[in-house]
Amino acid sequence: MIKRTLMILFIFLTLFSCRQQSRHVEHQGRPDMHTSQLALDWQGIYTGVLPCTDCEGIKTILKLNDDLTFSLKQQYIGKSNEVFERSGNFRWNDDGNTITIYPDENSALKPVIYSVGEGFLLQHDRKGKRITGNLAQFYRLEKFYTTLTGIGWQLIELYGEAIPGKKHLNSEPYIEFSAEGNVSGNSSCNRFFSTWATGAENKLSFAPVGATKMACPEMETETMFFRAMERTAGFIITDDILVFVSERNAPLAKFRAIQSQQ
């Protein structure tokens, strides 16, 4: 009787152990759906201003594509108006929470690691370690979610005052944003161009503006327009109206959506 009882107990323990091992193997074989690579909508454009040792900051626009390629645009603010463009491939790490961008063979850019979060990238230091503490906020790129691109924006107010009619201006002033980070338009006299970056909470900033050198009878609108762009720190969109605002949310320039001029 005792032998029979022990035999039954042995068979039960063997079956239980096999079942547990089977569950363990099955669990190991399942992909972790909580990784950034699988759980997040990481494809898209990320923008921000990164720290710089010998300039005011590095305005950065990084685009991540579905095919694991990237394009990168950077401008060294206060040092040069030149925009440096690079491209290449990137790879996910085994845990699916960081990417490493590898530039093409003709680029002097070294591989850079980013942690991937919900709507942001966090650049690691030169040794590949994640930056923590108060410094982390300065190495963060925010994902671009706005509806600024794809249409034109006609200027209708500056500092709360209506823009003069066509008879007083050489051209109707407007601005257009591209998803690649460029901005262009007409200031009422000259064509202008720059780059732009956005971030969390509808932050918006522009690089120094370049423009053609035509002289017009009325130049005050252009001067105020460029001054408003320099002071812009954010934006507000309500229906078809776009407003540039200052650091204290004071309205600087107001626009109405129009058909793209390009």
Side-chain angles (χ1 to χ4, degrees):
M1 181 69 180
I2 295 177
K3 289 183 178 181
R4 183 178 180 184
T5 302
L6 291 175
M7 181 62 72
I8 293 173
L9 181 60
F10 175 76
I11 293 173
F12 173 77
L13 290 175
T14 300
L15 291 174
F16 179 79
S17 177
C18 291
R19 179 174 293 181
Q20 290 298 103
Q21 290 180 3
S22 176
R23 288 179 177 178
H24 179 67
V25 171
E26 181 182 357
H27 176 74
Q28 284 186 323
R30 294 175 182 171
D32 185 358
M33 298 304 292
H34 297 287
T35 66
S36 297
Q37 182 180 6
L38 297 176
L40 301 181
D41 183 21
W42 51 264
Q43 304 90 336
I45 296 172
Y46 297 81
T47 67
V49 179
L50 300 175
C52 178
T53 57
D54 59 351
C55 68
E56 298 175 16
I58 306 174
K59 184 163 289 189
T60 300
I61 302 171
L62 175 59
K63 182 180 180 182
L64 301 180
N65 302 311
D66 292 337
D67 61 356
L68 303 186
T69 61
F70 76 89
S71 60
L72 176 67
K73 291 185 178 182
Q74 291 184 310
Q75 181 184 26
Y76 294 82
I77 304 173
K79 185 177 181 181
S80 172
N81 289 333
E82 183 178 1
V83 177
F84 297 91
E85 299 186 28
R86 304 176 179 94
S87 61
N89 302 298
F90 67 89
R91 298 176 186 171
W92 287 90
N93 68 339
D94 291 340
D95 293 331
N97 52 31
T98 70
I99 61 170
T100 302
I101 65 172
Y102 297 89
D104 56 37
E105 297 178 354
N106 298 323
S107 173
L109 183 70
K110 296 181 179 179
V112 181
I113 299 176
Y114 295 88
S115 291
V116 182
E118 182 66 55
F120 72 90
L121 300 177
L122 184 64
Q123 182 175 301
H124 290 206
D125 63 21
R126 294 182 179 180
K127 296 182 179 180
K129 295 183 179 180
R130 177 165 179 158
I131 299 171
T132 58
N134 294 332
L135 288 177
Q137 61 179 314
F138 300 108
Y139 291 86
R140 184 179 172 112
L141 300 178
E142 299 288 345
K143 191 172 183 183
F144 170 68
Y145 286 111
T146 72
T147 56
L148 291 173
T149 62
I151 56 177
W153 297 97
Q154 181 181 335
L155 184 66
I156 55 177
E157 285 186 12
L158 280 170
Y159 299 96
E161 298 291 333
I163 301 301
K166 291 183 180 180
K167 63 180 181 179
H168 299 290
L169 302 176
N170 190 62
S171 301
E172 290 190 19
Y174 72 92
I175 189 170
E176 291 193 6
F177 299 80
S178 78
E180 289 74 27
N182 299 314
V183 64
S184 61
N186 193 293
S187 61
S188 76
C189 179
N190 287 286
R191 293 280 304 172
F192 69 88
F193 48 87
S194 180
T195 61
W196 65 286
T198 187
E201 299 178 356
N202 286 9
K203 298 295 183 183
L204 177 65
S205 62
F206 298 98
V209 176
T212 55
K213 302 298 182 180
M214 187 168 61
C216 298
E218 202 279 335
M219 299 293 292
E220 183 180 2
T221 297
E222 176 175 284
T223 301
M224 294 177 65
F225 190 2
F226 290 163
R227 188 179 301 153
M229 291 179 65
E230 290 176 2
R231 295 183 57 196
T232 295
F235 70 97
I236 300 170
I237 293 181
T238 305
D239 296 327
D240 65 342
I241 299 297
L242 165 66
V243 181
F244 292 170
V245 296
S246 67
E247 285 283 358
R248 298 185 178 182
N249 286 326
L252 302 173
K254 181 184 289 188
F255 305 82
R256 179 180 293 111
I258 59 173
Q259 186 175 359
S260 173
Q261 304 297 299
Q262 298 181 357

